[in-house]
Every structure is written in C-alpha cells, then in structure tokens.
Amino acid sequence: MSVSSSEMSRLLAQWRDGDAAAFDRLMPLVYPQLRLLAEGYLRRERRDHTLQPTAVVHEAYLKMIGRDHPNWADRVHFFAVAARIMRRILVDHARARRAAKRGGHLQVTWTEGGMLDLELSGSASASPADVIDLDEALRELAQRDARKARTVELRYFGGLTVEEVAQVLKVSKETVYLDSRLARAWLQDRLSREGVS
C-alpha cells in the first residue's frame, strides 16, 4: 500500500497538531517504503549482519514516536528524518560490534546516478569499523560543508531523488549534482587517507 504525498502531509499535520493516533494511521502506509530503505542499507552490509530490516524500521519507529510533535512538513521531509534516524541506528549498532582488529577494507564507489555504494573486501569483521569510518568522514564533511554532507546522507541513506534532495535543501537540482560530485571527491580522498578505500 502506498501513501499519497497529500495524504501523508495531512496525517503529519494532524500529528503535529497533537493527534497521536495520526502517526499510528500513518505508519502502516509508510512502512513498506521504510522497509525498502532498511533493506537497501543492510544489503550494503556484510552478509552476517545481525540487524534485520524489520528491526531497523521498528527501532526507527520507536525513535520517531519519541519526538515531541516534530514539524514535518511533508513526505520528503519525513523520509529525510527517517533516513537520519536509520543511519544513527546502523552506526550505533556498528559501534557496539566494532572488532578489536579491522582486517579488510571498504571500497567506496558511486553509481551513475550519484548514489554512494560501499563494497567490502577482506574479512566480514571490517564492516562495523567501516560504517563508523564513513560516519566520521560525513561528520567531518558536515563541519566543513553541512549541505554537501546532508546531500550524501539524503541520497545514500534516504534514497531520495535529486529532485527530492533539492526540495529538502531548498536548492536547485544543479546544486545537488555539484554538491554530490564534490562530496564524492572529498569523501574518497578522506577515506583513502584513512586506508578505508
């Protein structure tokens, strides 16, 4: 079942205005897309990853309902927030499982559409450290240029289109393309200096 943008905006507005049941009506409608996002994230992880897509979505749900009526404007904004929450879940999980020995490394690549892709080589235990390395690199990029870091986060973790990222960041599509290219170059350089890519 898919939710229209207008229906989602209506339910988000009702929740923002204090109708707690509106979020409960919204979640079954957005659950399939949240699960697809989680599946995409976990597909990039090592095969023996202990988190399952359902667990990621449920933990994200718990974190979202714990917020005090956030000012989510629309569908794109909702999924941008959900992407950030899921990123935190994956990084927190990786930190909890970080191995003492790294072995292996992360190969950072980019798809033709400008999406970040991660390929792990070496031992399976490298993935938790590499997710943390990527998170640290994104944090460093955010200190230098918050918009470029947010662009990567929205495209990679949020699965948003260039048009949707432009809408969230209130910039042109051309700016999103440029930010993606510059962020890609910066991240590749930063991670290669750390021996990650």
Side-chain angles (χ1 to χ4, degrees):
M1 176 187 291
S2 177
V3 61
S4 71
S5 206
S6 60
E7 173 70 2
M8 190 164 178
S9 295
R10 185 182 63 77
L11 289 169
L12 288 170
Q14 289 173 352
W15 185 44
R16 185 177 51 244
D17 293 340
D19 180 0
F23 194 72
D24 292 334
R25 291 190 303 273
L26 175 66
M27 283 311 291
L29 301 175
V30 298
Y31 182 87
Q33 189 165 354
L34 290 173
R35 184 167 165 82
L36 283 174
L37 283 173
E39 287 172 356
Y41 304 153
L42 293 172
R43 211 175 295 123
R44 297 176 184 111
E45 296 288 334
R46 65 190 192 286
R47 286 188 193 103
D48 66 339
H49 198 283
T50 58
L51 276 179
Q52 297 297 316
T54 302
V56 173
V57 173
H58 290 182
E59 190 169 339
Y61 169 79
L62 292 174
K63 290 183 184 301
M64 286 188 282
I65 62 170
R67 295 172 159 252
D68 291 330
H69 307 292
N71 193 18
W72 289 336
D74 55 25
R75 175 192 168 281
V76 172
H77 189 208
F78 174 86
F79 283 106
V81 171
R84 180 165 277 178
I85 289 170
M86 286 190 208
R87 173 183 166 200
R88 295 287 358 126
I89 291 167
L90 291 173
V91 170
D92 290 346
H93 182 75
R95 282 197 171 108
R97 292 185 43 95
R98 184 176 226 169
K101 207 171 184 181
R102 288 182 51 153
H105 68 280
L106 186 72
Q107 178 65 42
V108 178
T109 59
W110 300 82
T111 67
E112 285 184 27
M115 293 290 288
L116 180 65
D117 195 14
L118 308 175
E119 296 175 18
L120 186 63
S121 66
S123 73
S125 66
S127 188
D130 294 330
V131 170
I132 294 168
D133 290 336
L134 177 60
D135 182 62
E136 289 169 358
L138 281 171
R139 286 175 185 264
E140 188 177 323
L141 177 58
Q143 290 174 351
R144 295 170 182 266
D145 192 321
R147 191 181 69 210
K148 286 179 181 60
R150 188 77 172 124
T151 298
V152 171
E153 180 180 58
L154 292 170
R155 295 278 289 139
Y156 174 66
F157 289 96
L160 299 183
T161 66
V162 169
E163 292 79 13
E164 290 169 333
V165 172
Q167 180 185 345
V168 169
L169 299 179
K170 296 178 177 35
V171 297
S172 69
K173 291 188 304 186
E174 292 75 19
T175 299
V176 173
Y177 284 119
L178 179 60
D179 282 353
S180 294
R181 284 193 304 269
L182 294 172
R184 169 184 10 184
W186 189 90
L187 283 170
Q188 286 175 326
D189 180 64
R190 164 65 170 71
L191 293 172
S192 67
R193 283 185 278 130
E194 295 293 317
V196 177
S197 67

